[in-house]
Amino acid sequence: MALLGFEKDTLLDLTVNVIPLGILLFFMGVFAVVPAFGTDPVFTGLQFTLMLSTFFLLAVLTYYAGRAIENAEEHEGDAQQASATNEPKGEVTGLDDTGVEDERALEDGEHDDS
């Protein structure tokens, strides 16, 4: 089942943003029922404007992050398929670890005077 066009794994990645969205909705509901700072329209309006703008911006960010994750997964799958078809046969060459000891000695501060 895809919610808003996102796969299950993507939705799991987006829970880090969905949880704060739920918290914001909870507090907007609580402050609408129980005005914690009085009924002054200026302060109440400012309070809800800040909460709603934060909610809206986080929702838009979450949506575009989900799209980016979906696109990255699609491109990764395409790249894996392409590399699987072009994979060389036989033994892998080109891996050479000569000089590793010299590099480690230089990192440790030892010098070879030969």
Side-chain angles (χ1 to χ4, degrees):
M1 181 176 128
L3 180 65
L4 297 174
F6 296 133
E7 294 179 2
K8 181 180 170 184
D9 293 336
T10 305
L11 289 173
L12 186 62
D13 291 337
L14 295 177
T15 56
V16 296
N17 287 357
V18 172
I19 292 170
L21 285 171
I23 292 170
L24 281 169
L25 278 177
F26 171 77
F27 280 108
M28 282 188 276
V30 168
F31 288 136
V33 173
V34 181
F37 303 109
T39 56
D40 186 13
V42 174
F43 291 129
T44 304
L46 182 62
Q47 175 186 2
F48 279 99
T49 300
L50 289 171
M51 286 191 299
L52 286 172
S53 63
T54 304
F55 180 84
F56 176 73
L57 290 174
L58 184 58
V60 169
L61 174 76
T62 302
Y63 177 77
Y64 283 113
R67 287 284 158 221
I69 292 170
E70 289 281 329
N71 290 338
E73 288 175 353
E74 288 175 11
H75 291 300
E76 181 181 319
D78 294 342
Q80 286 178 352
Q81 288 176 354
S83 67
T85 58
N86 296 331
E87 193 171 296
K89 305 289 188 244
E91 186 177 326
V92 178
T93 60
L95 298 176
D96 185 15
D97 64 350
T98 57
V100 173
E101 293 81 14
D102 296 335
E103 290 178 17
R104 288 184 184 153
L106 288 174
E107 289 175 359
D108 293 337
E110 298 174 13
H111 298 288
D112 187 21
D113 293 331
S114 54

